[in-house]
Amino acid sequence: MPTGQLMPEHRLIERMRALLKRELSRIQETSKADQRFIEIAVDFFRVYTDFCHHGKEEHILFGELEARPLFPEHRAMMEELTREHAFAREVVKGLLEAKERYGRGSNEALADIIKR
């Protein structure tokens, strides 16, 4: 898979991240979260970013690279990306959990949504 095919995916993910940042600013200003928006963002990050995009990177691209001799800096970069993918999964999971607590009336949940 040519890496150029992944670039439009990165741009789409960046667009969603920008929308999420804007929503987080709105939450800070109003002290109210749009639970539906958060659900949509979580769905996007789980399905598109993690399953489709990271799935291709981890199972196809990284799989191909594992079979080849790599310079140590390239192997380190691949390992760092794998760690970043795992971290992103935890952030998205935490965002969904905070949104659910917010929906049940938790006072601390709004701060947890913002920090995610």
Side-chain angles (χ1 to χ4, degrees):
M1 167 191 344
T3 57
Q5 290 178 357
L6 296 175
M7 296 313 287
E9 293 177 13
H10 288 155
R11 301 299 79 80
L12 186 57
I13 292 165
E14 288 169 358
R15 287 176 59 195
M16 177 53 97
R17 288 185 67 204
L19 289 172
L20 187 58
K21 280 182 84 171
R22 190 167 63 197
E23 177 61 17
L24 292 176
S25 292
R26 191 196 63 73
I27 291 170
Q28 288 173 317
E29 292 171 9
T30 65
S31 296
K32 293 184 179 167
D34 180 344
Q35 294 181 69
R36 182 69 183 131
F37 177 84
I38 294 171
E39 288 171 9
I40 291 167
V42 165
D43 186 60
F44 175 85
F45 287 118
R46 281 187 166 171
V47 175
Y48 185 78
T49 303
D50 193 39
F51 183 75
C52 295
H53 177 70
H54 290 169
K56 277 194 267 184
E57 286 181 339
E58 292 172 2
H59 301 295
I60 298 171
L61 179 60
F62 295 174
E64 287 289 322
L65 291 174
E66 280 291 332
R68 299 174 185 216
L70 295 177
F71 290 112
E73 61 269 20
H74 294 150
R75 184 156 310 280
M77 183 185 309
M78 190 172 65
E79 291 167 357
E80 175 63 23
L81 284 171
T82 301
R83 285 190 298 275
E84 287 177 7
H85 292 178
F87 175 75
R89 288 180 189 108
E90 288 302 313
V91 168
V92 170
K93 178 182 174 191
L95 179 59
L96 181 61
E97 290 169 354
K99 189 272 310 173
E100 290 171 354
R101 289 192 335 272
Y102 176 79
R104 293 190 302 270
S106 169
N107 294 329
E108 298 85 24
L110 199 60
D112 289 341
I113 289 170
I114 291 169
K115 80 176 183 182
R116 296 285 167 193

